[in-house]
Amino acid sequence: MSLSLDNPTGAAALPARDRAGKPFADAPPQHYIEAWRAQWWNPEPPGLSRALEGLPIFLGSDDAVRGWAEALCNLCGSIEAHINDNCRGRVPRWMKLPKVLFGVERVTVVRCEAKDSRSFTNVADFVASVRTTVEVADQERLSDWLRAHPEGKLVSHAPFVDLAAHVYSRHDDKPRRVRFYEGGLVLAAAPGLERVAVDDHRGIVRKLRSNRYVNPLLELGKMRVYGVEQQMTFRGR
């Protein structure tokens, strides 16, 4: 199985990199990715089955996934220059490419509370980072804390609900935690196994971490801002 993405849109072919007037990496990879998705991902990957309704997790035999993954490898080869030159050699999240794992015996899907965490050493940077208006009195409270704790920092937490898959593979001693909702996840059953076992634990509420930050200095809607120094959280009110 192979996939040609040299000219997926039918437009004029891109010049060879050594003859191009500008680096090939400047050419946006979106048209390659969109062409690949149209043939190999939407509405479902050919030859694979969906693990749970509404979730982008797909299962297949080892042979089926390897055949499908060849097209994904071809796609990555087509945009390799962009990844190496513009993305430090790592596939960026915005490309939303699926993750592929082999030798899988079982997968458990969990729903968990997550947070977008950012750190600041001055109030001005924090205020510039949020869309909500920060009252002058609140800014002064944060400034007072930083002056009292010169080695400290402000940490903002914006909570959100996340989904993750715990993947149990034959060759791993421990399960691998994979975030899949943005790009999707493709799992190949371990050789000799007819089908990957799927456990849906999205309805189970996980306990809050015992070492979570408490006593925020400031609350802005769902966002909370903490004062943190030497792994300790200081009371803000």
Side-chain angles (χ1 to χ4, degrees):
M1 182 184 300
S2 62
L3 173 64
S4 176
L5 290 173
D6 292 333
N7 190 14
T9 62
L14 291 169
R17 190 175 185 185
D18 57 353
R19 298 195 303 271
K22 60 180 181 178
F24 179 81
D26 288 346
Q30 284 88 341
H31 63 293
Y32 292 102
I33 297 174
E34 290 171 1
W36 177 85
R37 286 186 177 279
Q39 185 174 358
W40 297 97
W41 189 253
N42 296 324
E44 292 187 358
L48 307 180
S49 60
R50 192 181 295 269
L52 292 170
E53 185 65 29
L55 296 184
I57 303 178
F58 299 94
L59 311 175
S61 66
D62 187 81
D63 289 341
V65 173
R66 289 187 185 277
W68 174 88
E70 183 180 340
L72 181 60
C73 290
N74 290 340
L75 167 65
C76 292
S78 298
I79 59 178
E80 180 181 8
H82 181 94
I83 294 173
N84 288 336
D85 293 350
N86 290 10
C87 309
R88 300 180 180 179
R90 301 186 64 179
V91 177
R93 288 179 58 185
W94 67 262
M95 288 186 179
K96 298 182 179 180
L97 297 182
K99 300 172 183 177
V100 185
L101 298 177
F102 292 89
V104 178
E105 296 180 326
R106 180 162 59 94
V107 58
T108 301
V109 179
V110 297
R111 178 180 180 271
C112 55
E113 299 293 330
K115 60 183 179 298
D116 179 16
S117 180
R118 301 185 64 181
S119 298
F120 306 90
T121 56
N122 63 76
V123 176
D125 287 346
F126 165 70
V127 172
S129 73
V130 298
R131 299 179 181 179
T132 305
T133 300
V134 183
E135 300 295 337
V136 174
D138 293 331
Q139 295 184 42
E140 291 177 349
R141 182 187 306 118
L142 299 179
S143 296
D144 290 343
W145 188 91
L146 286 173
R147 280 192 293 268
H149 305 89
E151 301 299 323
K153 61 182 178 181
L154 302 176
V155 177
S156 67
H157 285 174
F160 63 94
V161 176
D162 193 18
L163 291 174
H166 293 179
V167 181
Y168 298 79
S169 299
R170 181 168 293 177
H171 50 270
D172 291 331
D173 295 333
K174 297 181 179 180
R176 179 176 177 179
R177 186 176 186 274
V178 182
R179 296 180 65 182
F180 64 87
Y181 204 73
E182 288 183 331
L185 179 62
V186 173
L187 304 176
L193 194 66
E194 290 187 3
R195 185 174 177 83
V196 174
V198 180
D199 299 322
D200 186 358
H201 288 182
R202 285 176 291 173
I204 299 177
V205 180
R206 298 179 62 192
K207 293 182 179 179
L208 296 175
R209 295 176 55 174
S210 59
N211 63 342
R212 67 188 184 279
Y213 291 154
V214 295
N215 301 321
L217 295 168
L218 179 64
E219 296 185 19
L220 293 173
K222 293 184 178 181
M223 177 186 291
R224 289 173 171 78
V225 184
Y226 302 89
V228 179
E229 183 180 28
Q230 297 180 353
Q231 305 300 320
M232 296 180 63
T233 304
F234 293 83
R235 183 179 298 274
R237 296 178 184 174

